[in-house]
Amino acid sequence: MRLIYLFPLDSLNYSFLLHAHSHVAMLGWVYMIVYVFGVHFFIPKEKKQKPIYNRLFWLTEFSIIGMMIAFPIQGYALFSIIFSTMHILLSYVFCRLVWKDSLKDKSPSQRLLLVSILFMVLSTFGVWCLGPAVSTLGKQSAFYQIAIQFFLHFQFNGWFILAILALFLKQFQDKIDEVTFKRFYFLIIISTIITVCFPIRWFIENDILSYLNGFGVLIQLGAFVCFYKMLEPKINHFKSTLDKTTKIVYSLAVCSLFLKVGIQLLTIFPNLAEVSHQIRNFVIGFIHLTTLGIITGFLFGILLQNKMLSANSSSLKIGVKCFISGYILTEVLLFLQGWFFFFGEGSIPGYFQSILIFSILLVLGLILIMLSIIKLKFDVLENKLMIK
């Protein structure tokens, strides 16, 4: 995708590739690992061993592979829609299973996971509105665009972010202060619902939507102040249990989270709210802040903390450094280019070449992390064979 800007290829449709990239990143990476962690941490052992969880996992993988093949070839068309619909229906089965089989202690992390699942179901209402929107008003209509933004808002801010925070809270073995958690829980739910007004405001001229969004981002700020206060007494002890690599990854995730909150606060100002979606670099930068910084950062932290990744592996350490460097450099460049456009300064010299190089760091980092996982699996297998 980065190469196309430097070496245009008539045989490749950029829009189709973009659809494949976004769907596989969201559903192939984030959804599937939340699926695995949700079952691992929140489903009792005797229930997680049910064959349904394994079958559902592979059926979901099949739907994602179908999207990965169909979208680059045809974009939004028959087969990509079939596989996308299949994924949504399978996600409903997953929601039902987790709701029925999850632990009954109703801990803070448990409640946060369950409400994230409700937001995931709510987000799919936007998808079901796409068909009627196209058939009645067309793809350029406000109804169609709002349906897409409704889905994306509750997927990212409701389902993914809250599920990730639930998994993160699960890593704290000590009991979370119930009073502070209830404040955070109530405020984050309200803010997530209200801030959907922000993308809706892009397509409907109504000042009330702007005021509601402003109120929502202030509530969100209050929610994460409570989140910090809730964890503050336990942070030092928590950090003392982590190795250096895990600390770095978690720090990246937390910093990205509070940067996201800060950026959303800026949308209170009308001028900044208006350009936030008009300048594509800001949109991509914000999405990558959420997916690469917050979501992937917390997920890598949980993997490392639970020894699912080997923190002693040299290839993993180098891979993490490459990934973080690529993430930070691409984010700086994206937002800097956005500000250049905002002030009418045009393109940064060598922008496309630079962002290609920085993106290669992301890919290189992920490859090295994957190699460390493969090596770890071979080492485990080798040890088992030696024991036998």
Side-chain angles (χ1 to χ4, degrees), residues 151-168:
F151 168 74
L152 292 174
H153 174 81
F154 287 111
Q155 276 279 306
F156 280 104
N157 297 296
W159 161 225
F160 289 150
I161 294 291
L162 296 191
I164 294 303
L165 293 180
L167 292 167
F168 180 58

Side-chain angles (χ1 to χ4, degrees), residues 133-196:
V134 171
S135 61
T136 57
L137 300 171
K139 286 189 176 182
Q140 303 306 316
S141 66
F143 180 26
Y144 180 84
Q145 298 300 328
I146 288 171
I148 292 175
Q149 295 304 322
F150 183 93
F151 168 74
L152 292 174
H153 174 81
F154 287 111
Q155 276 279 306
F156 280 104
N157 297 296
W159 161 225
F160 289 150
I161 294 291
L162 296 191
I164 294 303
L165 293 180
L167 292 167
F168 180 58
L169 288 182
K170 191 70 176 177
Q171 308 311 304
F172 287 80
Q173 299 302 320
D174 298 331
K175 186 175 176 59
I176 300 295
D177 180 67
E178 186 68 24
V179 174
T180 313
F181 171 77
K182 283 183 178 178
R183 290 174 187 161
F184 164 73
Y185 183 74
F186 175 76
L187 291 175
I188 199 65
I189 291 173
I190 297 299
S191 69
T192 302
I193 294 170
I194 294 177
T195 51
V196 75

